[in-house]
Amino acid sequence: TEIVETKKAHEVHLNIVSKTLQARSRNYHFHLYIAPTKQNERIEWMLEKAIETGLDSITFIQTEHSEKSRINRGRLEKIAISAMKQSGEFYFPEINDLVLFENLIKTSGNETRLLAHCSDQHKKQSLKSIFSESGVQGKIGIYIGPEGDFSEKEIRMAYEKGFKGLSLGSTRLRTETAGLYATAAISAL
C-alpha cells in the first residue's frame, strides 16, 4: 500500500499497490472421493462443511451401489464459493465431475489411497494409526462409498491396486457424514 493523500488528522487515503496470497502452510493435499447421495441437499451440505474444515479437492464417484448418476457441478461451485467466504478461506477446491470407481482405481497416483468401507472381511485401520509414524503429509485420497457401501468386488479390486482399508469408527455413518468426518479428522491430525 501507498499513502495517496492525508486530509484531517485522522483521515488517510491509501492505494493498494499489490496483493499477495499465501499458500496453505501444511504438508499435505487432501482429496475426497465420494459417491453422491440420493438427496442433493446432503452432499451440498457436506461439501460446504468440508471446505470450511480444509478440503483441497473432491471427485464424485459412481459405484455399483450408487443411486445417483450425475451431479450439478455449477451449483456445487457456487456452494464452494459461499463456503470459502464464510470460512475466510482463499483456496478454491478442485471440484471434479462424476467418475466410474472402477476406472478411477486403475490409475495410480502418488497419493496415499484409503478406502473407507463397512466390510469386516478386510483389514482396516484408523486415520490415527495410519499416520502415527510419518504424520499427515503428501497427497492423501480418501474414498467414501454410497449408502449401500462399496461392493465386495470393488473392495477387492481396490485392495489389489494397493489401497489401504480405512475405519471411520465403530458406528456406521451416512455417506455425507463420513465425508465430513474424514475431512475434519485429517485436518485435526
Side-chain angles (χ1 to χ4, degrees):
T1 26
E2 66 182 11
I3 298 174
V4 175
E5 156 182 22
T6 58
K7 291 192 175 182
K8 302 173 190 170
H10 299 289
E11 188 176 326
V12 177
H13 293 255
L14 302 173
N15 183 27
I16 298 173
V17 177
S18 66
K19 296 179 185 180
T20 304
L21 294 177
Q22 295 179 338
R24 288 183 168 175
S25 60
R26 58 185 193 200
N27 299 335
Y28 67 89
H29 177 93
F30 176 60
H31 192 138
L32 179 66
Y33 299 84
I34 191 166
T37 56
K38 188 174 184 178
Q39 296 175 335
N40 292 333
E41 300 81 30
R42 289 184 175 186
I43 207 72
E44 291 169 359
W45 174 86
M46 185 279 311
L47 178 65
E48 177 184 60
K49 303 309 175 200
I51 290 168
E52 291 175 13
T53 55
L55 180 72
D56 292 306
S57 54
I58 187 168
T59 297
F60 294 94
I61 56 176
Q62 178 79 39
T63 70
E64 285 185 27
H65 297 153
S66 290
E67 296 181 286
K68 198 128 174 124
S69 59
R70 58 187 199 92
I71 59 165
N72 184 340
R73 190 168 163 191
R75 175 150 171 78
L76 294 174
E77 288 173 350
K78 288 178 185 175
I79 289 167
I81 291 168
S82 175
M84 287 171 50
K85 289 178 181 177
Q86 168 63 32
S87 62
E89 185 65 71
F90 66 87
Y91 181 83
F92 186 79
E94 180 182 349
I95 300 174
N96 299 299
D97 287 320
L98 198 66
V99 178
L100 281 173
F101 177 72
E102 193 172 324
N103 293 342
L104 187 62
I105 65 170
K106 290 177 185 175
T107 62
S108 60
N110 58 343
E111 69 181 11
T112 301
R113 302 194 308 173
L114 307 172
L115 186 76
H117 62 84
C118 300
S119 173
D120 291 329
Q121 297 177 17
H122 305 275
K123 183 182 175 193
K124 297 180 285 189
Q125 294 177 284
S126 69
L127 283 170
K128 189 175 182 178
S129 67
I130 291 170
F131 295 107
S132 64
E133 290 181 25
S134 63
V136 180
Q137 59 184 3
K139 292 183 178 182
I140 301 157
I142 295 182
Y143 293 68
I144 308 286
E147 292 296 329
D149 202 9
F150 291 104
S151 70
E152 274 300 315
K153 175 185 168 191
E154 290 169 329
I155 294 170
R156 206 172 39 257
M157 287 182 347
Y159 276 75
E160 288 169 3
K161 293 293 184 182
F163 280 64
K164 292 180 183 175
L166 176 64
S167 170
L168 296 177
S170 59
T171 60
R172 186 173 291 221
L173 303 174
R174 286 187 176 272
T175 300
E176 72 277 8
T177 307
L180 180 56
Y181 175 89
T183 306
I186 285 286
S187 68
L189 288 176

